[in-house]
Amino acid sequence: MSGGSYSGFSLFKNALSYHENWQRAWRSPKPKSDYDVIIIGGGGHGLATAYYLAREHGITNVAVIEKGYLGGGNTGRNTTIIRSNYLWDEAAHLYELALKLWEGLSQELNFNVMFSQRGVLNLGHTLQDMRDIERRVNANRLNGIDGEVIGPAEVQKLVPLLDCSPGNRYPVLGASWQPRGGTARHDAVAWGYARAADALGVDLIQQTEVTGIRRENGRVTGVETNAGFIGARKVGCVVAGNSGVLAAMAGLQLPIESHPLQAMVSEPLRPCLDTVVMSNAVHGYISQSDKGDLVIGAGIDHYTGYGQRGSFHVVEHTMQAICELFPAFSRVRMNRQWGGIVDTCPDACPIISKTPVQGLYFNCGWGTGGFKATPGSGYVFADTVAHDRPHPLAEAFSIDRFYSGALIDEHGAAGVAH
Ligand code: FAD
Ligand code: PYC
């Protein structure tokens, strides 16, 4: 990957030199002794936060500290489904902000994130599914979000390989259809934000693990890392499945459980599926990547844990679901399977919040559905950190809701059961 522009000749020369002379897309700086803001976690959300801090708020004395490599967490492990068809106003507005940002992201970052608005279908298999779908689509339309309820004939037209026979165990009675939804290239999102943040002066520090959060008189003063202490006036934690661990370092407890979530891809096929199909009832979802692989996933593993792998019975269940929906795929060979650790909240909504420790902020709890939110999450979190008060769209997602009881139940829209 390169930040500069290359002629055909230099591309050829660099290929022969094993890319030795390629310009790096971002620096690899030594950490300074202190920063205005440290963001812990170099996934899409952390990198987007750092980028918007610099671009929207002029705060450039910022470091992103990542224990592995940029985008190596859930950002690089997810199935990249993007949509904004959430039920409640608070969530719908947040995910719709993200979708609007996705629509201009490649131009904004000058980096092709391969955002593809191929549309997302959520299938309904029972009368109750269809009632829930109608309720959600009506709510979406009242919020100015595109969506339609379509019947089985229209579903079949959009997805010829889907088995819509009326006699099926779970017959397809219809679907919600969000045409502006789709997919993006996950690594490109991390790389695009990383390159743009670096260009604005943000230090991206990889292979450095935060091991402690130092506080004095109720205020954060910096982070302990395996490379020593780094001071900071403000610290934002954006570590997905490790949020509970980081919170404990600051003496806090979050209402979060960490679970494995799996996905898998097949051998590449010729183009045969040009939308995203999700079904909560049979418990599977599928799309086809631009390389031709079928990208497939299902629900979380129900035990908690930090191992980035899943259990076999979930793989088996998922494949049963996909073969039931698409009998034609029953002979496709699978290539790879992997897991990520997702941080789930009791109401299937994120936490974007200040904390009782001054200068310490958390952005987490996106569970199985945070990739789609990446640009919006970074945008509102940067604003929250910069001004030390919640961005208007983040206000409802504060930790306070677990004390006040103002939960936002998005289990029905979460796409993947958890
Ligand atoms: P991450 O990308 O996980 O970044 C957090 C980073 O923090 C990691 O890189 C980690 O190494 C780092 N870190 C942790 N602890 C420390 C520490 N102590 N010090 C320094 N760094 C640390 N969402 C969708 O919207 N659509 C989907 O289709 C979808 N599919 C999914 C499929 C799977 C299999 C999985 C696992 C998730 C899926 N998700 C999906 C959810 C989505 O991936 C996440 O919500 C989102 O990527 C979270 O982004 P993030 O930047 O917060 O986390
Ligand atoms: O949130 O749409 C979603 C999703 C699909 C697969 C995993 N999460």
Side-chain angles (χ1 to χ4, degrees):
M1 188 181 52
S2 141
S5 67
Y6 282 89
S7 68
F9 176 70
S10 65
L11 265 180
F12 179 67
K13 202 173 76 184
N14 285 328
L16 292 181
S17 70
Y18 298 99
H19 304 175
E20 253 175 27
N21 305 320
W22 279 38
Q23 186 184 327
R24 289 194 179 272
W26 52 81
R27 297 162 298 128
S28 191
K30 282 213 159 57
K32 298 182 207 163
S33 59
D34 73 326
Y35 289 92
D36 289 334
V37 182
I38 285 178
I39 299 296
I40 310 173
H45 289 224
L47 292 164
T49 305
Y51 168 72
Y52 292 116
L53 274 171
R55 205 210 60 182
E56 294 290 314
H57 305 283
I59 302 174
T60 56
N61 186 24
V62 175
V64 176
I65 302 189
E66 165 54 51
K67 72 175 175 181
Y69 60 92
L70 301 181
N74 289 341
T75 298
R77 292 163 185 270
N78 83 94
T79 49
T80 83
I81 297 174
I82 295 170
R83 55 190 174 85
S84 62
N85 53 0
Y86 282 71
L87 177 66
W88 297 102
D89 294 355
E90 296 85 347
H93 291 154
L94 183 60
Y95 287 101
E96 179 60 15
L97 166 73
L99 184 46
K100 290 212 169 86
L101 290 169
W102 278 112
E103 285 171 331
L105 198 61
S106 293
Q107 286 78 6
E108 156 129 23
L109 299 178
N110 188 23
F111 199 97
N112 187 0
V113 300
M114 295 170 71
F115 179 48
S116 159
Q117 291 180 293
R118 58 187 65 183
V120 175
L121 283 164
N122 295 95
L123 302 181
H125 301 275
T126 63
L127 197 54
Q128 188 57 44
D129 276 357
M130 290 311 297
R131 286 189 182 130
D132 291 344
I133 282 172
E134 275 160 25
R135 179 180 181 220
R136 188 143 60 90
V137 169
N138 287 338
N140 293 158
R141 291 171 73 118
L142 287 170
N143 272 321
I145 293 171
D146 62 317
E148 283 171 53
V149 181
I150 61 174
E154 282 166 285
V155 175
Q156 187 74 85
K157 210 164 145 203
L158 284 165
V159 195
L161 285 180
L162 181 66
D163 184 358
C164 293
S165 319
N168 279 354
R169 184 165 67 120
Y170 292 106
V172 175
L173 301 187
S176 72
W177 169 236
Q178 186 177 22
R180 284 166 63 241
T183 57
R185 172 72 199 268
H186 45 12
D187 323 278
V189 176
W191 297 338
Y193 273 120
R195 189 179 73 154
D198 172 88
L200 292 170
V202 171
D203 283 357
L204 305 175
I205 318 278
Q206 301 184 70
Q207 306 296 339
T208 304
E209 180 167 0
V210 171
T211 53
I213 296 179
R214 205 185 274 183
R215 291 148 286 148
E216 269 168 39
N217 303 325
R219 245 213 102 78
V220 79
T221 55
V223 298
E224 314 283 351
T225 78
N226 55 3
F229 175 75
I230 310 175
R233 271 166 285 293
K234 293 182 176 178
V235 173
C237 291
V238 201
V239 294
N242 286 279
S243 302
V245 178
L246 266 290
M249 289 180 195
L252 304 171
Q253 200 178 9
L254 296 175
I256 278 201
E257 282 187 0
S258 294
H259 290 263
L261 177 68
Q262 309 189 45
M264 55 212 93
V265 291
S266 73
E267 60 188 336
L269 307 178
R270 289 193 181 162
C272 58
L273 178 63
D274 61 1
T275 59
V276 179
V277 180
M278 305 179 65
S279 166
N280 270 1
V282 297
H283 225 183
Y285 59 86
I286 182 163
S287 66
Q288 187 172 27
S289 79
D290 294 341
K291 271 194 308 187
D293 322 346
L294 298 176
V295 181
I296 293 171
I300 57 171
D301 282 31
H302 284 282
Y303 58 86
T304 52
Y306 294 99
Q308 288 173 315
R309 49 168 44 196
S311 41
F312 183 70
H313 73 276
V314 176
V315 179
E316 202 178 12
H317 182 70
T318 309
M319 296 324 296
Q320 280 167 0
I322 296 304
C323 291
E324 184 158 346
L325 294 173
F326 292 90
F329 292 156
S330 61
R331 293 173 60 205
V332 174
R333 283 167 297 202
M334 300 309 294
N335 250 355
R336 288 181 293 117
Q337 171 271 356
W338 64 90
I341 302 303
V342 296
D343 46 345
T344 59
C345 272
D347 59 354
C349 271
I351 294 171
I352 308 170
S353 192
K354 293 174 65 169
T355 70
V357 178
Q358 267 181 34
L360 179 67
Y361 310 83
F362 268 82
N363 179 345
C364 59
W366 293 93
T368 60
F371 178 72
K372 69 174 79 62
T374 304
S377 157
Y379 191 90
V380 300
F381 193 50
D383 185 87
T384 302
V385 172
H387 298 293
D388 193 37
R389 52 102 188 94
H391 181 280
L393 290 184
E395 209 160 352
F397 298 98
S398 140
I399 300 177
D400 297 347
R401 75 180 189 273
F402 298 101
Y403 299 99
S404 70
L407 303 183
I408 309 158
D409 185 349
E410 284 291 359
H411 280 102
V416 178
H418 64 262

